[in-house]
């Protein structure tokens, strides 16, 4: 299959530029498009065969439900039943935006979309390209991230093509996504709204609007399976093995980690802040990417840099953790999964293995 690329021009009429892509959606084809979070792989969300095509293109497990995207707030009503007061409040405060709500589904929703569940995930994106594509297609668009399952989500059209060229009908190039991590998912069918996946709408923002908000224990307790089916799978992973160092002395311990790796002849990628990178020795075998001075900047760059490490063909990646306040909860969720939960804690001159494994070159006597 030849994959069509539409490079959008801000000076031209958007509807005219999206017309061909919308027609392909209507015909049951798959089209990738930008949202404010990441690029989505879209299909007619009421067409079972088209939605099965999403699973096939991504290599996505069949028990991982899809998110339906709508173009107007009121479009949620035919797709759902018995919306809770918390759902209506979130719609009022956060839509359009990077918030996905789990609601009771209506009979319109195909079983393939919900993986047999009686609930459905619905989102109203704020990105104007996504919004107009949905409207022109005349249907809710089912759209997970437009990458092969397990890979870092794409935030540029080029990253989509790296995974999907020759597999899907087209890609709409609307530039780099603003937020860079997927939408927050909140279950509104339970007595206390529960975050199933952290994202651009933070826990603090939800609490300001709703009062009490819970976090799915599976997101924070080791060994407990998250309630959201997709969160149990390996996600966001670069090709090289990755390790994450957290804690108050992460900078110094990343320096030690890198020096040990280089001493073994490894080509290592480092994702950290400016201070930490400044401690690293000058060596051609070290490729470092500064994730910036704010959490928003880190979120925007995270997947870009993980995919860049793939192209730079590093043997190993080490990342620096951040606090879980505000957007940090979503960032750390993604970084820990990217690292396959290979996590070390740095404090009081020591490294403590929290979970996962350590690389072969790392002397066990250095771990406490």
């Amino acid at each position: 299959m030849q994959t069509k690329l539409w490079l959008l021009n801000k000076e031209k009429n958007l509807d005219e530029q999206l017309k061909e892509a919308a027609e392909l959606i209507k015909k049951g084809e798959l089209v990738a498009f930008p949202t404010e979070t990441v690029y989505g792989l879209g299909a007619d969300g009421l067409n079972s065969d088209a939605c099965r095509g999403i699973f096939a293109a991504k290599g996505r497990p069949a028990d991982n439900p899809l998110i339906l995207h709508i173009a107007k707030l009121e479009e949620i009503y035919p797709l759902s039943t018995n919306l809770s007061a918390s759902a209506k409040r979130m719609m009022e405060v956060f839509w359009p935006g990077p918030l996905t709500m789990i609601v009771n589904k209506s009979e319109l929703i195909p079983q393939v979309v919900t993986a047999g569940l009686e609930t459905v995930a619905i989102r109203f994106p704020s990105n104007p390209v996504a919004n107009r594509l949905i409207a022109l297609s005349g249907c809710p668009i089912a759209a997970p991230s437009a990458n092969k399952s397990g890979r870092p989500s794409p935030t540029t059209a080029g990253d989509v093509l790296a995974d999907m060229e020759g597999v899907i009908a087209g890609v709409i190039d609307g530039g780099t996504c603003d937020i860079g991590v997927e939408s927050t998912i909140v279950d509104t069918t339970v007595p206390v709204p529960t975050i199933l996946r952290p994202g651009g709408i933070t826990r603090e923002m939800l609490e300001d609007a709703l009062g009490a908000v819970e976090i799915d224990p599976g997101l924070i307790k080791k060994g407990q399976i998250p309630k959201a089916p997709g969160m149990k799978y390996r996600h966001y992973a670069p090709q090289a093995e990755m390790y994450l160092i957290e804690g108050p002395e992460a900078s110094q311990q990343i320096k030690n980690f890198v020096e040990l790796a280089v001493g073994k002849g490894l080509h290592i990628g480092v994702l950290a802040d400016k201070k930490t990178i400044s401690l690293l020795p000058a060596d051609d075998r070290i490729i470092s990417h500064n994730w910036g001075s704010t959490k928003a900047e880190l979120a925007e760059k995270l997947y870009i840099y993980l995919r860049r490490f793939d192209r730079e063909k590093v043997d190993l990646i080490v990342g620096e953790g951040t606090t879980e306040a505000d957007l940090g909860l979503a960032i750390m969720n993604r970084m820990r999964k990217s690292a396959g939960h290979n996590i070390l804690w740095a404090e009081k001159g020591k490294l403590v293995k929290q979970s996962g494994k350590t690389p072969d070159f790392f002397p066990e006597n250095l771990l406490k």
Side-chain angles (χ1 to χ4, degrees), residues 2 40 58 79 91 107 110 115 193 198 217 221 254 264 270 280 328 359:
Q2 184 174 359
K58 284 178 61 70
L79 304 174
M91 290 162 56
E107 294 182 357
K221 290 185 180 179
I254 286 174
K264 294 295 183 179
V270 181
L280 302 179

Side-chain angles (χ1 to χ4, degrees), residues 194-235:
T194 301
I195 298 172
L196 304 187
R197 181 179 74 186
I201 301 298
T202 66
R203 180 183 188 177
E204 291 84 352
M205 294 164 68
L206 289 165
E207 287 174 337
D208 283 345
L210 302 173
V213 174
E214 294 183 352
I215 297 180
D216 176 16
L219 296 178
I220 53 180
K221 290 185 180 179
K222 182 180 176 181
Q224 186 157 341
I225 297 176
K227 184 177 178 182
M231 297 303 285
K232 69 185 179 183
Y233 293 106
R234 186 170 183 258
H235 277 308

Side-chain angles (χ1 to χ4, degrees), residues 4-258:
K4 175 95 175 183
L5 177 65
W6 297 277
L7 180 59
L8 299 183
N9 185 334
K10 293 181 180 179
E11 305 302 318
K12 295 183 179 179
N13 180 273
L14 183 59
D15 284 14
E16 285 298 318
Q17 295 180 84
L18 296 177
K19 182 178 179 181
E20 184 178 5
E23 289 301 318
L24 287 170
I25 293 285
K26 292 177 182 179
K27 293 177 181 178
E29 300 286 353
L30 306 185
V31 173
F33 62 97
T35 75
E36 67 273 28
T37 57
V38 299
Y39 272 73
L41 180 57
D44 180 347
L46 301 183
N47 181 329
S48 295
D49 289 338
C51 291
R52 290 189 188 97
I54 292 176
F55 287 90
K58 284 178 61 70
R60 183 181 178 92
D63 65 346
N64 191 357
L66 303 175
I67 295 174
L68 292 184
H69 294 65
I70 59 178
K72 294 180 180 179
L73 186 146
E74 56 266 28
E75 290 175 359
I76 190 174
Y77 293 105
L79 304 174
S80 63
T81 60
N82 301 317
L83 288 178
S84 65
S86 62
K88 293 176 181 177
R89 176 61 176 160
M90 282 187 279
M91 290 162 56
E92 176 186 338
V93 177
F94 299 114
W95 274 7
L99 174 72
T100 296
M101 298 195 311
I102 303 297
V103 298
N104 295 306
K105 75 179 186 71
S106 76
E107 294 182 357
L108 288 177
I109 312 298
Q111 289 291 308
V112 65
V113 169
T114 65
L117 299 175
E118 292 305 310
T119 56
V120 63
I122 300 179
R123 177 159 114 76
F124 176 12
S126 61
N127 181 283
V129 176
N131 195 278
R132 289 309 301 156
L133 178 67
I134 299 164
L136 292 170
S137 300
C139 61
I141 291 184
S145 56
N147 56 284
K148 291 293 185 181
S149 286
R151 298 276 292 123
S153 298
T155 55
T156 69
D159 287 342
V160 176
L161 289 169
D163 282 8
M164 293 293 168
E165 187 163 16
V167 178
I168 64 175
V171 178
I172 300 168
D173 187 347
T176 302
C177 299
D178 295 329
I179 296 174
V181 294
E182 298 82 357
S183 63
T184 304
I185 299 179
V186 180
D187 186 354
T188 72
T189 67
V190 292
V192 179
T194 301
I195 298 172
L196 304 187
R197 181 179 74 186
I201 301 298
T202 66
R203 180 183 188 177
E204 291 84 352
M205 294 164 68
L206 289 165
E207 287 174 337
D208 283 345
L210 302 173
V213 174
E214 294 183 352
I215 297 180
D216 176 16
L219 296 178
I220 53 180
K221 290 185 180 179
K222 182 180 176 181
Q224 186 157 341
I225 297 176
K227 184 177 178 182
M231 297 303 285
K232 69 185 179 183
Y233 293 106
R234 186 170 183 258
H235 277 308
Y236 325 119
Q239 293 172 0
E241 194 165 56
M242 181 173 171
Y243 296 84
L244 188 62
I245 297 181
E246 304 179 37
E249 297 176 9
S251 291
Q252 182 59 46
Q253 292 296 345
I254 286 174
K255 175 180 179 291
N256 296 341
F257 187 101
V258 169

